[in-house]
Amino acid sequence: MSMTPGREHLDELLDQSIPRTTPITTDVADEIMRLQVAAAASVGSSSRRRRWRPVAAGFAAVLLAGGVATAAAAATGQWTLPWATNNAVASFSFTLPSGFECEQRIAA
């Protein structure tokens, strides 16, 4: 059901929905240059960068502290709950498709 053989109906609809564009004349080009200069003058790119530096530094510090805490808990075994390790009624092991081995413990 296409207007042109070998073309999909969606292609025809997309071709019809192309927005009309203004031809670039010298007046239009001059106005675009004026707008670019005005926009560059009104936006201070250096002030934008200054605001993001403390935010990025704070985010990096939080990630670093969280990573250190997680590594310490994993190395010392402190992140397992004592009731699950000491009073386990049953446990079973399984291997995930990724190859990671897990253990499920059931406590009363």
Side-chain angles (χ1 to χ4, degrees), residues 34-73:
R34 279 191 224 114
L35 289 172
Q36 286 177 341
V37 170
S42 67
V43 176
S45 63
S46 63
S47 66
R48 181 182 288 167
R49 286 185 186 162
R50 285 187 209 137
R51 281 187 230 142
W52 285 104
R53 285 181 184 165
V55 172
F59 186 68
V62 168
L63 284 178
L64 180 66
V68 168
T70 303

Side-chain angles (χ1 to χ4, degrees), residues 10-103:
L10 182 59
D11 291 332
E12 299 290 337
L13 291 174
L14 287 172
D15 287 344
Q16 293 171 6
S17 68
I18 296 173
R20 306 294 179 242
T21 58
T22 305
I24 303 296
T25 62
T26 55
D27 294 336
V28 173
D30 290 341
E31 186 63 27
I32 289 173
M33 286 301 294
R34 279 191 224 114
L35 289 172
Q36 286 177 341
V37 170
S42 67
V43 176
S45 63
S46 63
S47 66
R48 181 182 288 167
R49 286 185 186 162
R50 285 187 209 137
R51 281 187 230 142
W52 285 104
R53 285 181 184 165
V55 172
F59 186 68
V62 168
L63 284 178
L64 180 66
V68 168
T70 303
T76 61
Q78 294 298 318
W79 65 0
T80 57
L81 301 173
W83 58 266
T85 57
N86 297 336
N87 302 330
V89 175
S91 67
F92 61 93
S93 299
F94 57 94
T95 304
L96 296 174
S98 65
F100 190 72
E101 294 183 10
C102 297
E103 182 180 14

